[in-house]
Amino acid sequence: MKNKLIVLFASALLLGGCGTGPSSKNGAVDDSDSGWKSLKTVSGREIIAELKQTVEETPKRDERATIETPPEFEEPTKETVEDLNVKAIEGPAVFQAVEKVYGEGGIHHEGVIFFELQTKGAAQSGVWIGLKEPDERVQQLIDLLQPKVDAGEILAEPIYIFRSPHTEKELYELQDEVAEALKGLESERGSFGLYVDVITGNIEITHDFLKPEQQEKLREQFADHTINIEQDGRMVPEPGESTIIAPEQTYTDKPVTEGGFILEAGDGRIFVAGGTESVVFYKFPEADKLKAGQRVNVERSGPILESYPGQGTAKFVEVLPDYKPAGAKLSESQAVAKALEVAGERLSNGYVVIEEVSFDENEKKWVFKLLPDDGEGTLEVADQ
């Protein structure tokens, strides 16, 4: 599984000081070692340089600013508006300056860059530039951004320059190391999700196979880092444990609305579609114990490939009670199996995706509402 570094967002706000010209030092430099001293701490981070809010009026920024929350947001809030403005105004200015000073992708080797947003739980909106070994290029950044502040194009307050304990490159390398360690522990049917938080450097793992002793082994192997491990769904079954969950009752006279329908079953895979399930081929070792027409809930293991139909691995398959109305000769699963035979003769793709199933007691027939892509609005099967 290809794992990608995911940048998480949070937020904070840096209060600007008195005005200075763009060529002056907006941070404290330690001349003894050419390093940048700490000015203060914000959100637990060591601020090494800051812009100055030199003007009170910002007409150029105001022209671009969102005044009200866009209609796609259900609850208009001041915090949402501030987040949107920082992302749309200060964000691009900072990213352009960083690229100009460090080159395209250069910040990847020097540190990190990220937003923190109030709508993601942070205290205030901000865009953060973190540098592991800050040098004279910090002043170059300031010299590019301060004139924009002076001209009223951007605000100084939401822009932070701090000393980062890591670079993005280091985090990518750490993620690759953890991924290799996880692959060595992975069971045949297990899966994991992995990312390293750019802001904290913490390793975040989701899984459905790691036993407590394996988790402890990981923490020992990466003792210099915080590892957060979360179980994703049920654990994969132990050898000999059935992966089919049978219903408490075989039949029910009440319509079942959850789950999807098995269209094919056998040779180590099942094809499930319709109802509340997506259209997916699943690898499933116990496929031969299932039948086309059954309504099931599928608990997957790992990602679903974005093809059509999708492709994935089923960890557990829950067979749902078979709907059999009073007076009907067929059960729902039997009617679906017949519908699949008819569909195979009439549809170019060879399968049908059923949205809904109903039983017409007066005319003694089963009516299937199909997805529009299947070329037919409905399909009917006589109850016999």
Side-chain angles (χ1 to χ4, degrees):
M1 180 177 66
K2 179 69 175 176
N3 298 292
K4 295 183 179 179
L5 188 70
I6 300 178
V7 179
L8 297 184
F9 298 113
S11 93
L13 183 66
L14 175 62
L15 298 178
C18 300
T20 65
S23 62
S24 64
K25 296 290 185 180
N26 289 32
V29 179
D30 184 346
D31 294 329
S32 63
D33 60 3
S34 298
W36 290 75
K37 287 184 178 179
S38 174
L39 298 176
K40 56 188 174 183
T41 299
V42 177
S43 296
R45 302 182 189 117
E46 180 187 346
I47 303 300
I48 57 172
E50 60 184 353
L51 301 170
K52 304 301 180 182
Q53 190 61 46
T54 54
V55 295
E56 293 184 6
E57 301 296 328
T58 57
K60 292 183 179 180
R61 185 183 193 274
D62 295 343
E63 289 176 2
R64 301 173 57 196
T66 297
I67 305 302
E68 298 179 354
T69 305
E72 60 264 28
F73 292 90
E74 294 182 3
E75 298 182 7
T77 65
K78 173 177 173 289
E79 291 77 13
T80 301
V81 170
E82 290 177 357
D83 284 352
L84 291 171
N85 287 333
V86 168
K87 290 182 70 175
I89 300 173
E90 280 73 33
V94 167
F95 278 82
Q96 289 169 12
V98 166
E99 183 172 325
K100 187 169 183 179
V101 171
Y102 292 96
E104 184 176 358
I107 191 67
H108 171 81
H109 299 274
E110 302 291 341
V112 297
I113 184 169
F114 56 84
F115 288 104
E116 287 198 313
L117 306 176
Q118 295 177 72
T119 51
K120 299 296 183 179
Q124 294 174 342
S125 310
V127 54
W128 293 73
I129 309 164
L131 300 162
K132 186 173 182 181
E133 297 181 358
D135 53 26
E136 69 280 356
R137 288 174 291 181
V138 174
Q139 188 61 46
Q140 295 175 30
L141 275 179
I142 294 171
D143 290 345
L144 286 173
L145 292 170
Q146 186 63 52
K148 294 181 179 294
V149 176
D150 300 338
E153 296 177 15
I154 63 174
L155 294 177
E157 291 86 348
I159 300 173
Y160 301 81
I161 303 174
F162 72 103
R163 191 184 304 276
S164 174
H166 48 249
T167 69
E168 288 188 25
K169 180 176 183 294
E170 291 170 343
L171 295 183
Y172 277 116
E173 292 171 349
L174 173 61
Q175 182 173 273
D176 289 342
E177 291 177 23
V178 177
E180 287 302 314
L182 283 166
K183 289 175 184 177
L185 301 173
E186 191 175 9
S187 67
E188 181 179 349
R189 299 182 60 208
S191 64
F192 66 86
L194 166 67
Y195 69 88
V196 179
D197 189 334
V198 167
I199 299 175
T200 64
N202 293 347
I203 301 166
E204 307 289 342
I205 298 171
T206 59
H207 74 99
D208 59 7
F209 67 94
L210 288 172
K211 294 180 172 57
E213 58 271 21
Q214 293 175 313
Q215 296 181 32
E216 185 59 31
K217 181 178 179 181
L218 280 172
R219 289 193 169 95
E220 291 176 358
Q221 185 174 349
F222 298 96
D224 293 337
H225 304 274
T226 298
I227 301 182
N228 298 318
I229 301 176
E230 182 179 350
Q231 184 175 319
D232 181 18
R234 286 175 285 194
M235 293 283 280
V236 293
E238 297 289 341
E241 179 184 351
S242 177
T243 54
I244 297 175
I245 303 171
E248 293 183 2
Q249 58 184 66
T250 304
Y251 296 100
T252 178
D253 58 0
K254 300 289 192 300
V256 180
T257 57
E258 64 176 311
F261 300 96
I262 295 179
L263 306 186
E264 297 176 15
D267 297 325
R269 75 173 190 170
I270 56 174
F271 184 24
V272 178
T276 57
E277 290 283 335
S278 301
V279 182
V280 180
F281 279 103
Y282 292 100
K283 294 179 181 178
F284 189 63
E286 294 188 79
D288 292 338
K289 298 179 182 179
L290 299 171
K291 296 184 297 183
Q294 288 179 303
R295 189 188 280 262
V296 297
N297 280 327
V298 178
E299 183 175 343
R300 64 173 178 79
S301 177
I304 301 297
L305 296 181
E306 294 181 0
S307 55
Y308 191 83
Q311 301 176 62
T313 299
K315 181 165 52 176
F316 291 97
V317 174
E318 177 187 10
V319 179
L320 300 172
D322 199 359
Y323 171 45
K324 189 172 185 180
K329 293 182 179 180
L330 300 177
S331 68
E332 181 185 71
S333 67
Q334 292 171 324
V336 172
K338 285 196 170 187
L340 295 178
E341 293 178 7
V342 174
E345 298 171 359
R346 289 163 54 178
L347 299 177
S348 60
N349 58 16
Y351 61 86
V352 60
V353 179
I354 301 167
E355 281 195 289
E356 297 177 8
V357 180
S358 60
F359 177 67
D360 188 328
E361 187 174 356
N362 293 327
E363 297 191 21
K364 300 297 182 184
K365 65 182 180 181
W366 291 84
V367 181
F368 300 88
K369 180 182 176 183
L370 310 180
L371 284 180
D373 289 346
D374 291 316
E376 301 278 348
T378 59
L379 222 174
E380 297 180 354
V381 170
D383 184 45
Q384 59 183 20

